Amino acid sequence: MCGIIGILGEEPAAPLLIEGLKRLEYRGYDSAGVATVVNGAIDRRRAEGRIARLEARLAEAPLPGTIGIGHTRWATHGKPNETNAHPHATERVAIVHNGIIENFRSLRQELEALGHRFSTETDSEVIAHLITRYLDEQQSPRQAAASALARLDGAFALAIIFAGEHDLMIGARRGSPLAVGYGRGEMFIGSDAMALAPWTDRICYLEEGDRVEVTRAGATVFDGEGHPAEREIRQTVQSGALIGKAGYRHFMLKEIYEQPSVIGDTLRSYVNPVTRAIWLPAMPLSLAEVGRITAVACGTAYYAAMVAKYWFERLARIPVDVDVASEFRYREAPLPEGGVALFISQSGETADTLAAMRYAKEQGQTTIAVVNVPESSIAREADVVLPTLAGPEIGVASTKAYTTQLTVLACLAIATARLRGTIDQRRQAELITALTEVPARAVEVLTHDDVIHRLAHDVAEARDVLYLGRGANFPTAMEGALKLKEISYIHAEGYAAGEMKHGPIALIDETVPVIVIAPSDGVVFDKTVSNVQEVMARGGKVIFLSDRDGIEAFGPGASATIALPKVDPLVAPILYAIPVQILAYHTAIFKGTDVDQPRNLAKSVTVE
Ligand code: F6R
């Protein structure tokens, strides 16, 4: 994670760096810092905590200089305090780093033996000292940076400035993303195009192993072998406007409420309103002939993959293996010839998911990416991209990205099923009708906000919360538990309802709220009801989420019920995600946590 930015401009760089860093704060917010070259010397300001604190520090002690680098940190090595904040600097060089330097201990020992004194606990500081060592050996800044980069193991995106150099910045990318922005007489480096959007829409994305030498006149890119390389300059679609909360108290709440419209936008780009058939981009293989799908993702996106497994297996009769990317990438899974590998990611930059996708490519799979950021690394490297049209998701807890991921995956599953002949035209029409009604149903779900708000008051008192679901709503239970954990810091577990009696039922007493996700969808519903009776018999306080039929069939005994619209089982996981998001949100508000930027987390996880 971590966000980095670099500016070679005409006006003082520090205020612009702050503006860019604010747009990168989703990548980490433990500490922040900027460094510039002032009268030939490196100067810097750093602060623990959010960028606002750095801004206040700069107001007290302004930093001149028209060339500068900035960083917002998500700590990997070393506590998130001011000392460990980037930029790291010696008298000769300053660097900002996103990633992890795996061989930093041995490099540090080597440099300490040469007399270098380290002042932080970070892995990143070693980069500044290593470059300084080569500068001390009379190498030019360009050579010294190249020499140092050649010695680094691990993942990095870097921006480097040098004392005495008012017109040189060096960037490098291995594993972590880095973009170069072209302005008029100004040049920029940033973790993504969104950070640079206020100043330029002309962006070049570095490729793996690239190093770039940037001056105000332009940029020269070198590939991993050190040869000059051409990299396309593209027009980015990112907007320079700062994304606001539109009157909502938090981004997360705004994003929860945007779901009817962004699900609608997503559906409009996949469903032909006239023929009511699914439109998919051209693919290098026939979905009708796919024998197995491997679906890989992290966190919330992984739960979307789990839901998709139920859909593909039920509708299209294709076996699906689902894995979290961090496990998949090192498992060396044998993948079938002619197989499809599906990757799901909001940011499109999650390091494990990207690495898993590269592995699948090497294994000859056709890679399909369901991605929210169209210019992200995953989107650029996948064979087929299925965009989610959620728009920028700023709240760290994923909400609208998840439900739009499910929307796209439902479209893909229906289209595949039809191509394979496992559903007929009539069933396809029914499913598409159910999908196109989701935005209207989602509006109805949102009307339960007040009721859920009242329930959250009690949930906020709990130490542990259980979420139960079955079938395609087992992942909804997992997602509900994840949402609660990450923003309210209450321990929560999502379980397949049928698994309760194999252990977790031992946790049940009158202090443990049990949130049950149970749309009335036939056999699975009846089984869930039996499992919930077992919970209530042991004093568990049940909050029962179903439709009117389900609540009636369930009978009395729940502490609370929420009657959601009755829908086709296919779309239930999309709609039932919304009340669990709202419950987590209000619980977090009662707990007084930072909903949009919960502790220890970051929005884009670019380290493994
Ligand atoms: C949870 C959450 C994370 C992400 C995960 C994957 O609310 O947001 O679990 O889902 O880090 O991120 P992406 O989708 O960007 O690959």
Side-chain angles (χ1 to χ4, degrees):
M1 307 64 137
C2 301
I4 68 176
I5 182 156
I7 296 178
L8 293 100
E10 288 167 347
E11 47 186 303
L16 306 180
L17 291 168
I18 292 290
E19 190 179 344
L21 287 178
K22 283 184 180 164
R23 299 171 69 87
L24 287 171
E25 205 168 15
Y26 72 89
R27 291 176 154 260
Y29 34 79
D30 292 337
S31 62
V34 292
T36 60
V37 181
V38 184
N39 298 326
I42 300 231
D43 200 357
R44 58 183 172 153
R45 304 283 181 272
R46 299 175 299 159
E48 185 178 331
R50 305 286 149 94
I51 288 157
R53 291 185 65 179
L54 175 65
E55 207 172 5
R57 176 93 23 113
L58 280 162
E60 287 159 17
L63 189 62
T66 56
I67 174 171
I69 52 178
H71 188 268
T72 181
R73 179 168 187 242
W74 184 84
T76 58
H77 294 67
K79 291 198 180 65
N81 55 24
E82 182 175 332
T83 308
N84 290 329
H86 297 222
H88 295 296
T90 65
E91 285 197 353
R92 306 198 65 174
V93 67
I95 65 106
V96 284
H97 170 219
N98 166 27
I100 294 179
I101 303 303
E102 285 166 2
N103 59 337
F104 83 98
R105 284 193 185 81
S106 58
L107 289 171
R108 186 166 166 153
Q109 275 165 9
E110 172 187 321
L111 290 159
E112 279 174 340
L114 290 171
H116 288 257
R117 291 287 156 262
F118 285 76
S119 51
T120 79
E121 300 157 344
T122 67
D123 56 328
S124 311
E125 190 185 6
V126 80
I127 305 168
H129 284 274
L130 195 56
I131 297 170
T132 303
R133 174 209 163 151
Y134 293 118
L135 289 169
D136 290 346
E137 289 176 1
Q138 309 309 324
Q139 293 191 13
S140 70
R142 288 173 169 84
Q143 284 170 329
S147 305
L149 290 170
R151 307 254 347 251
L152 301 179
D153 292 338
F156 50 79
L158 284 168
I160 309 165
I161 53 174
F162 304 86
E165 298 284 346
H166 287 269
D167 195 24
L168 177 66
M169 182 176 297
I170 291 185
R173 159 186 186 160
R174 200 190 297 160
S176 304
L178 197 64
V180 177
Y182 291 73
R184 288 209 178 79
E186 297 171 317
M187 290 291 291
F188 308 89
I189 284 181
S191 294
D192 64 24
M194 198 159 78
L196 309 183
W199 309 292
T200 181
D201 59 359
R202 295 178 61 228
I203 298 290
C204 144
Y205 290 96
L206 295 190
E207 292 183 9
E208 262 316 89
D210 279 357
R211 169 169 59 89
V212 63
E213 295 174 0
V214 186
T215 66
R216 287 177 182 77
T220 312
V221 180
F222 300 88
D223 64 17
E225 249 80 84
H227 304 306
E230 288 295 321
R231 301 286 177 244
E232 187 192 347
I233 301 172
R234 309 162 181 224
Q235 191 95 8
T236 174
V237 294
Q238 300 292 343
S239 155
L242 260 191
I243 299 143
K245 294 186 196 146
Y248 287 93
R249 185 166 166 196
H250 292 98
F251 280 110
M252 182 180 176
L253 191 61
K254 171 179 168 248
E255 288 158 5
I256 288 172
Y257 272 81
E258 278 173 350
Q259 291 178 106
S261 81
V262 294
I263 292 170
D265 292 344
T266 303
L267 280 171
R268 271 189 290 283
S269 70
Y270 289 93
V271 177
N272 182 326
V274 182
T275 61
R276 291 186 96 66
I278 306 268
W279 174 90
L280 290 175
M283 302 215 181
L285 85 172
S286 161
L287 286 174
E289 279 149 34
V290 172
R292 179 172 285 271
I293 296 176
T294 307
V296 181
C298 297
T300 288
Y302 167 68
Y303 299 137
M306 279 178 74
V307 174
K309 174 182 170 73
Y310 286 89
W311 288 340
F312 278 105
E313 295 191 347
R314 169 73 53 90
L315 295 176
R317 311 301 299 154
I318 302 181
V320 180
D321 294 321
V322 184
D323 223 329
V324 286
S326 53
E327 286 302 314
F328 176 82
R329 64 181 288 192
Y330 293 111
R331 222 180 59 222
E332 296 180 14
L335 299 175
E337 211 169 298
V340 161
L342 191 57
F343 299 87
I344 304 159
S345 176
Q346 186 287 125
S347 62
E349 298 296 351
T350 301
D352 283 321
T353 309
L354 179 59
M357 191 172 90
R358 288 178 180 156
Y359 172 80
K361 266 198 157 178
E362 279 162 26
Q363 300 295 309
Q365 304 299 290
T366 299
T367 54
I368 303 181
V370 176
V371 188
N372 197 40
V373 180
E375 295 166 18
S376 60
S377 303
I378 290 177
R380 281 181 283 126
E381 291 188 28
D383 295 322
V384 179
V385 179
L386 301 180
T388 48
L389 276 77
E393 191 181 63
I394 308 294
V396 163
S398 191
T399 53
K400 60 178 183 167
Y402 178 66
T403 47
T404 53
Q405 283 161 357
L406 291 179
T407 303
V408 171
L409 291 165
C411 290
L412 185 63
I414 295 169
T416 309
R418 187 69 198 109
L419 282 169
R420 290 167 68 84
T422 49
I423 58 170
D424 59 19
Q425 183 72 35
R426 194 184 52 82
R427 182 67 183 135
Q428 171 174 266
E430 275 169 17
L431 293 172
I432 292 178
T433 303
L435 259 182
T436 51
E437 285 174 0
V438 166
R441 299 289 88 82
V443 171
E444 287 173 45
V445 173
L446 289 168
T447 62
H448 294 280
D449 191 328
D450 283 348
V451 177
I452 299 173
H453 179 253
R454 284 195 289 278
L455 295 175
H457 190 266
D458 283 350
V459 174
E461 301 295 314
R463 216 187 52 186
D464 306 290
V465 179
L466 282 178
Y467 287 74
L468 301 182
R470 265 185 183 252
N473 281 298
F474 163 39
T476 316
M478 311 270 279
E479 169 60 3
L482 177 63
K483 285 288 90 89
L484 191 74
K485 278 187 269 218
E486 66 182 331
I487 61 169
S488 76
Y489 316 149
I490 294 174
H491 169 243
E493 302 266 5
Y495 261 97
E499 270 292 294
M500 278 298 283
K501 55 174 104 42
H502 299 287
I505 202 161
L507 293 173
I508 299 293
D509 64 23
E510 56 290 346
T511 66
V512 180
V514 181
I515 321 290
V516 181
I517 294 123
S520 66
D521 51 7
V523 185
V524 175
F525 173 77
D526 296 339
K527 302 283 174 203
T528 308
V529 167
S530 308
N531 300 139
V532 178
Q533 296 296 348
E534 293 153 11
V535 167
M536 291 196 305
R538 285 154 183 87
K541 278 197 305 193
V542 168
I543 299 176
F544 195 74
L545 273 61
S546 187
D547 45 59
R548 290 220 174 280
D549 291 351
I551 289 170
E552 208 178 295
F554 181 63
S559 307
T561 56
I562 300 177
L564 300 171
K566 172 110 180 159
V567 289
D568 190 292
L570 174 89
V571 301
I574 310 178
L575 289 166
Y576 280 68
I578 299 173
V580 297
Q581 296 165 351
I582 299 174
L583 182 65
Y585 174 79
H586 289 305
T587 307
I589 298 292
F590 281 121
K591 298 283 283 185
T593 57
D594 187 338
V595 171
D596 283 335
Q597 295 184 327
R599 70 184 180 204
N600 304 339
L601 292 172
K603 185 84 187 145
S604 179
V605 185
T606 55
V607 292
E608 60 174 296

